[in-house]
Amino acid sequence: MNAFEGQADEAEPYRSHGRNWDETKRLSVLDSYKVLDTPPEREFDEVVELAAQLCGAPIALVSLLGEDRQFFKAEVGLGVRETPRDVSICGHAILQPGLFVVTDTATDPRFAGNPLVTAAPHIRFYAGALLETEDGLPLGTLCVIDRRPRPEGLTALQGFALQVLARQVMARLELRRALAAREASERQFRVLADAMPQMVWSTRPDGAHDYYNARWYEFTGVPFGSTNGAGWNGMFHPEDQPRAWERWRHSLETGEPYEIEYRLRRADGAYRWTLGRAMPVRDAEGKIERWFGTCTDIEDIKATEERLRLSEERLRLALGAAEMIGTFVWDVPADRVTADAGYARMFGQDPAAMTAGVPIALLFEAVEPEDRDRVRQQIERAMATGDAFEAEYRVWPPGGETHWVVARGRCAQDADGRPSRFSGAVVDITERKRAEEGQELLAKELSHRIKNIFTVIGGMVSLSASGASAEVKGFAATLRRRLQALARAHEYVRPHNGEAQPTEAATTLKGLLGTLLAPYGAEEAGRMQLSGDDVPVGVKAATSLALILHELATNAAKYGALSRPEGGVAITGERIGDRFGLTWRERGGPEVAGPPERRGFGTILAERGAITQLGGTIAQDWAREGLTLRLEVPLARLAY
Amino acid sequence: MHARRILIVEDDPMVALDLEEIVLGLAEGRAQVALAASVREAQRALASAAFDVALLDIDVLDGKTYDLAVALHAQGLPFAFVSGSRPDELPPALRSVPFVPKPYDPAEIEHTLRAKLSPGL
């Protein structure tokens, strides 16, 4: 039987005839079977032995045709595992489908001169069945060879058997290839899994763990394989074990993805919070064939979450416990103010409504009407500038009492510079305000008392001189006026609550002078000029200066520059380093003939005591055109 | 200054006497001064005699003299406050009343009585 069809091309016997495959592709596919040059395998050996026996032939081969040789995966009776291709008969066999039989090579012009025919192994008969892939690519043959010609060829049964066996060889090769591919795939998986920073594991469909990546073993420090099956559960924190079991069981039953947080024991014994997740892999019918899962260390995230939770809780407690503070956020474009329970309480709103948000107009209704404009202005200013917002105002919630609050906040702007989010806090300062008001009342009371005392003393002085001589009356009047100056100084440096009434100006020398000299009216007429530096002045300094200046002015009015309409006094202040100099210069009065021995001058000398008490100096120049007096006091003492 | 009847409402005896001395000195003896230490006393005095001018302290024994001041104003009786309070503490209606702060300079009392209360005084 010669199944030969078609003509072989003498020059290029390997070129396909009427076939749709090309040699390069064939070779590459053959290569994918990774069978060339591999050791013998029992399954193939058995096939050639059976083929040889079935056909009664001394030689049988599983022959695979490579680029320039043929390789015998299995052979019986030949003794070699490869021969060059150019002399191979199989090279011809692969060009035809089905069975290729040469009954006598010696009479076949294609093979008569072939060295394998003319010399060892002296092939005279050849029958080969194609080893062909599903796509029709011939890889080689399963062939039987005899040293004597067989004109009768193979029996139908032998021919059939050879072809069946050839298909078996192909099946075997396919299987080998698939197994190798699977192994390669698993190898890749392992490399990938071991490279991942997470722990990776896999289980059978019944949930028994049979794979963990290197990371798992590194982390847990357990011996390889010791956590297979169900041993993993023991690695969990005792409190988490039942929960994890339950969750895993649920996933196994329902096929739902597995996800759970638990504490996993690290090699050093520490438990670390871990996120465990797994997904099933299903086969073509949808049945789960394997679970793949990961464990991710989330201890640090959890620790941060816990700190945040504690921090929030503390804040909530603090805000809740201190009834006096509330926080708010005003979504400006949406005009929605959301706030916490403390704020809701202060403004008399329902806490649920404040959580959902209310328009700002609603909250304004709780603000004391007198304060609304001021608060509105402050809000607008903060929205326009983005600067910090601060306003003190009264809140009068419906059905509640008026409370003083201070609100502080800041308005964030969007990309276009428009107000977007105004957030802040409101603090109840009613206690502080009451204390301030109390202080203010005390200050007023004190001021009243001081004024009363001076009034009474003034009265006593005059009344004591009642009915006495003119000289005594004169003394009384002088004394009364001194007391008046002192009283003015005290009223000027009147104690007040500076924080509550910041609009009260600080007490300064110029201010004091203005107050003291007002009764004279001369300043209005321009006869007393105040110029130069000003300096803050405290109570003790003010009262000392008051007496001195009172004397100077009184004397100037009686005998000096102010006794004449054309006379005047120039008072100049000057800072010199850490000292302050005050110059009193009289001009335009009667001619001065030296230091006077006038009544009352002794008082200036008495006042020197006050100056020296202030650590200052005093100097007088009795020039003819008028008195010039200069006093110098350390700045520090002036403030006292 | 013609003989005048002057009502002084002041609860501190020293200050009341002092004011009396000042007024009498101003009037050169031709004045009659009545002293009241409380609003009630002042009302009694006003009910029993006619006065030409009054000096009112604000805080007296039985409270503030605001209502009294309003009554005097209604009567058309010239008066001035002589007080340690500050003018801005007064009710708005009374803020235009002549006001001499305590402690006062006797000259200021004289000045006020002469110039501000009655040109003929």
Side-chain angles (χ1 to χ4, degrees):
Chain A
M1 180 171 74
N2 191 336
F4 172 68
E5 284 174 24
Q7 294 286 328
D9 186 314
E10 291 293 345
E12 296 192 276
Y14 315 133
R15 197 193 306 153
S16 64
H17 285 262
R19 292 277 175 270
N20 286 333
W21 48 271
D22 95 324
E23 183 63 9
T24 320
K25 182 147 189 260
R26 191 194 69 85
L27 284 171
S28 126
V29 169
L30 172 59
D31 195 58
S32 75
Y33 283 89
K34 297 274 182 282
V35 65
L36 292 175
D37 303 323
T38 58
E41 288 174 45
R42 195 187 70 183
E43 293 78 12
F44 298 98
D45 291 344
E46 284 178 347
V47 163
V48 296
E49 280 178 22
L50 182 59
Q53 288 192 18
L54 277 175
C55 300
I59 296 171
L61 310 166
V62 168
S63 165
L64 296 160
L65 259 60
E67 192 177 356
D68 52 9
R69 63 186 167 121
Q70 60 182 7
F71 168 77
F72 306 130
K73 175 67 178 170
E75 62 84 18
V76 66
L78 190 61
V80 296
R81 294 198 79 216
E82 74 172 46
T83 59
R85 180 161 173 179
D86 53 1
V87 299
S88 90
I89 300 174
C90 301
H92 291 267
I94 67 168
L95 303 175
Q96 358 276 331
L99 214 52
F100 180 72
V101 179
V102 180
T103 53
D104 186 353
T105 54
T107 59
D108 189 319
R110 291 172 299 182
F111 306 116
N114 191 306
L116 299 177
V117 171
T118 58
H122 298 292
I123 297 172
R124 293 299 292 275
F125 172 76
Y126 174 96
L130 207 51
L131 293 175
E132 189 178 37
T133 70
E134 270 184 18
D135 303 326
L137 285 170
L139 303 182
T141 65
L142 170 66
C143 59
V144 294
I145 289 169
D146 207 336
R147 294 198 177 83
R148 54 174 190 82
R150 292 196 196 183
E152 72 281 17
L154 292 179
T155 66
L157 180 61
Q158 286 168 338
F160 176 65
L162 206 58
Q163 284 177 309
V164 166
L165 286 173
R167 279 196 288 278
Q168 287 296 303
V169 168
M170 267 322 295
R172 187 81 216 160
L173 286 173
E174 296 285 1
L175 181 61
R176 268 174 95 261
R177 188 170 72 162
L179 280 175
R182 193 180 76 169
E183 251 179 54
S185 169
E186 283 187 6
R187 247 196 324 278
Q188 281 170 2
F189 165 77
R190 255 170 247 274
V191 168
L192 171 67
D194 282 344
M196 281 171 69
Q198 290 158 303
M199 295 174 256
V200 176
W201 46 269
S202 183
T203 80
R204 298 200 301 252
D206 66 356
H209 284 59
D210 58 5
Y211 169 76
Y212 297 89
N213 74 343
R215 205 94 318 109
W216 166 268
Y217 291 108
E218 278 166 24
F219 181 87
T220 59
V222 297
F224 188 85
S226 63
T227 48
N228 284 356
W232 55 273
N233 197 253
M235 302 300 301
F236 288 18
H237 192 282
E239 287 169 13
D240 300 331
Q241 286 176 11
R243 192 165 49 89
W245 247 131
E246 186 48 43
R247 190 76 183 80
W248 179 233
R249 212 177 47 73
H250 175 81
S251 284
L252 287 177
E253 276 172 22
T254 63
E256 282 171 19
Y258 169 79
E259 183 169 322
I260 186 172
E261 290 181 9
Y262 54 84
R263 283 157 289 181
L264 184 64
R265 195 173 69 237
R266 197 165 56 180
D268 62 359
Y271 282 98
R272 304 272 296 176
W273 275 102
T274 306
L275 173 65
R277 282 176 138 160
M279 299 276 293
V281 174
R282 295 174 191 277
D283 63 16
E285 282 94 49
K287 207 156 84 77
I288 292 175
E289 52 181 24
R290 183 154 278 277
W291 285 85
F292 279 99
T294 59
C295 303
T296 310
D297 186 321
I298 54 170
E299 174 71 27
D300 295 334
I301 295 173
K302 269 243 178 269
T304 304
E305 273 177 10
E306 180 65 14
R307 274 198 296 275
L308 180 62
R309 189 187 67 77
L310 283 174
S311 172
E312 280 181 355
E313 195 175 303
R314 273 196 293 270
L315 179 63
R316 238 196 324 275
L317 281 174
L319 290 183
E323 292 186 353
M324 310 191 306
I325 188 166
T327 56
F328 66 88
V329 175
W330 181 29
D331 178 339
V332 180
D335 188 18
R336 196 176 62 243
V337 181
T338 49
D340 58 17
Y343 185 98
R345 222 187 345 256
M346 275 193 258
F347 279 78
Q349 300 292 325
D350 168 35
M354 284 296 347
T355 307
V358 303
I360 196 163
L362 187 65
L363 298 166
F364 249 93
E365 284 171 24
V367 175
E368 184 76 32
E370 277 174 24
D371 299 338
R372 283 180 198 166
D373 282 341
R374 187 164 46 79
V375 176
R376 202 171 278 121
Q377 264 172 31
Q378 283 287 53
I379 291 176
E380 279 162 16
R381 198 187 59 80
M383 280 166 65
T385 64
D387 287 342
F389 160 78
E390 182 169 329
E392 286 187 10
Y393 54 92
R394 282 158 291 182
V395 176
W396 191 12
E401 294 179 348
T402 301
H403 282 246
W404 270 98
V405 299
V406 63
R408 290 197 182 93
R410 199 174 278 273
C411 187
Q413 297 174 339
D414 64 15
D416 303 318
R418 281 194 296 267
S420 63
R421 197 179 134 101
F422 201 133
S423 55
V426 179
V427 182
D428 188 315
I429 52 167
T430 309
E431 287 304 307
R432 168 156 74 81
K433 275 292 185 194
R434 293 224 177 94
E436 280 176 7
E437 279 166 24
Q439 277 181 308
E440 190 60 29
L441 282 173
L442 270 177
K444 274 195 188 152
E445 180 63 26
L446 188 64
S447 176
H448 274 228
R449 279 203 207 178
I450 290 173
K451 290 195 230 183
N452 272 345
I453 284 174
F454 274 107
T455 312
V456 167
I457 290 172
M460 280 169 76
V461 164
S462 294
L463 289 167
S464 304
S466 186
S469 69
E471 192 178 343
V472 172
K473 279 198 158 73
F475 163 77
T478 305
L479 180 56
R480 190 157 187 169
R481 279 193 286 279
R482 278 200 199 119
L483 286 166
Q484 202 66 13
L486 204 55
R488 276 191 202 287
H490 273 279
E491 174 60 8
Y492 181 64
V493 291
R494 188 173 62 93
H496 65 273
N497 189 330
E499 278 183 20
Q501 296 183 315
T503 50
E504 295 256 4
T507 51
T508 69
L509 184 62
K510 274 192 183 166
L512 177 67
L513 285 169
T515 307
L516 292 173
L517 301 173
Y520 294 91
E523 196 178 12
E524 289 147 31
R527 297 174 70 200
M528 288 222 212
Q529 307 267 12
L530 296 181
S531 62
D533 301 330
D534 202 353
V535 67
V537 77
V539 169
K540 274 203 166 28
T543 49
S544 298
L545 289 170
L547 292 173
I548 296 157
L549 290 163
H550 171 76
E551 295 306 320
L552 282 171
T554 307
N555 288 324
K558 277 197 209 156
Y559 318 111
L562 297 179
S563 64
R564 297 245 180 102
E566 61 269 21
V569 180
I571 309 166
T572 319
E574 196 188 347
R575 273 184 203 248
I576 316 145
D578 62 350
R579 297 170 73 77
F580 189 86
L582 190 71
T583 308
W584 172 284
R585 186 206 298 265
E586 295 180 32
R587 290 291 182 267
E591 207 175 270
V592 172
E597 287 207 17
R598 36 191 199 210
R599 220 164 32 116
F601 181 61
T603 59
I604 292 203
L605 294 173
E607 257 59 84
R608 279 192 203 223
I611 288 287
T612 52
Q613 264 179 350
L614 288 174
T617 56
I618 190 166
Q620 294 123 46
D621 176 13
W622 299 100
R624 279 174 57 181
E625 54 270 27
L627 165 67
T628 301
L629 182 137
R630 180 160 176 87
L631 45 99
E632 273 190 26
V633 180
L635 278 172
R637 304 289 284 275
L638 269 182
Y640 184 48
Chain B
M1 195 171 105
H2 309 299
R4 290 293 193 233
R5 290 191 58 94
I6 297 137
L7 174 63
I8 299 177
V9 184
E10 169 62 59
D11 60 348
D12 188 294
M14 195 68 65
V15 178
L17 283 173
D18 182 49
L19 286 171
E20 190 182 25
E21 283 282 308
I22 293 170
V23 169
L24 288 173
L26 187 65
E28 292 151 15
R30 289 168 305 174
Q32 279 184 306
V33 176
L35 300 176
S38 66
V39 173
R40 217 154 54 119
E41 275 184 45
Q43 282 165 342
R44 268 209 299 270
L46 285 164
S48 63
F51 290 91
D52 302 302
V53 71
L55 292 175
L56 256 55
D57 186 13
I58 289 178
D59 291 284
V60 294
L61 287 178
D62 54 1
K64 304 256 184 208
T65 57
Y66 295 147
D67 293 341
L68 185 63
V70 170
L72 292 181
H73 182 78
Q75 275 184 355
L77 181 66
F79 68 95
F81 283 119
V82 180
S83 173
S85 298
R86 298 170 72 197
D88 58 19
E89 292 167 19
L90 289 174
L94 294 169
R95 284 196 197 149
S96 55
V97 174
F99 189 101
V100 180
K102 282 181 183 173
Y104 48 79
D105 192 325
E108 244 193 292
I109 300 288
E110 293 173 15
H111 179 75
T112 302
L113 282 172
R114 277 191 211 281
K116 293 207 177 148
L117 289 182
S118 169
L121 207 64

